[in-house]
Amino acid sequence: MFYLKYGECLKQKRIEKNINAKTMAERLSISPAYLSSLENGSRRAPSFALQEKIAEALSLTEDERYQFYDLAAENKQPPILSKDLTEFIYQNPQIIKMLRYAMKCHLTEKEWKDVAGFVYKTYKY
């Protein structure tokens, strides 16, 4: 789905915003060495709290934030989703958009059942 890896994206966005590594590390209250290890891929994506601080420091748009968070999730490979689901979701970007929209709408369990019912009735395999 994405052409960049997490660290590459972080570094590219930092450079685009004309922020040097030392200044960025200071803004995030992390060491320049840790920032460097994130950017070069020798460390996995940081906690979500630090990801939010990074997104804020880089003044990312909502879409850029979502891409950034998705790259971080890809980097971490969360164990709560099986590999086949993770791959399916990232191969179908519309799923991510739909889930984010549903999240913003605060769908209830019944509404999710309605969505699932529509899919089950409409599509057979």
Side-chain angles (χ1 to χ4, degrees):
M1 175 179 174
F2 301 110
Y3 65 96
L4 291 176
K5 294 184 179 186
Y6 175 80
E8 293 170 341
C9 182
L10 171 57
K11 185 173 184 175
Q12 178 183 313
K13 294 294 183 188
R14 178 180 58 75
I15 291 169
E16 284 175 10
K17 303 289 181 169
N18 294 316
I19 304 170
N20 68 44
K22 183 179 179 194
T23 300
M24 182 71 167
E26 287 172 358
R27 288 182 185 176
L28 301 173
S29 301
I30 61 174
S31 72
Y34 180 57
L35 177 62
S36 176
S37 68
L38 291 173
E39 290 182 346
N40 69 31
S42 63
R43 297 283 301 257
R44 292 254 185 226
S47 69
F48 189 72
L50 184 53
Q51 290 174 45
E52 288 180 309
K53 284 178 74 173
I54 292 169
E56 186 66 30
L58 295 172
S59 301
L60 299 181
T61 66
E62 182 178 58
D63 287 342
E64 289 172 328
R65 273 180 197 259
Y66 287 154
Q67 180 188 28
F68 189 70
Y69 297 155
D70 291 341
L71 288 171
E74 274 185 352
N75 182 263
K76 288 187 172 210
Q77 300 175 354
I80 57 173
L81 287 177
S82 62
K83 186 175 180 182
D84 61 337
L85 287 177
T86 302
E87 288 174 358
F88 180 75
I89 290 168
Y90 281 102
Q91 289 170 359
N92 297 280
Q94 201 58 37
I95 294 171
I96 295 168
K97 289 179 184 176
M98 189 240 358
L99 289 173
R100 285 217 168 95
Y101 186 82
M103 182 177 67
K104 287 179 181 179
C105 293
H106 305 286
L107 266 63
T108 65
E109 183 175 349
K110 184 200 178 307
E111 290 166 331
W112 274 112
K113 286 181 181 178
D114 292 344
V115 171
F118 170 78
V119 172
Y120 295 147
K121 282 190 261 181
T122 307
Y123 302 97
K124 306 287 182 206
Y125 67 95

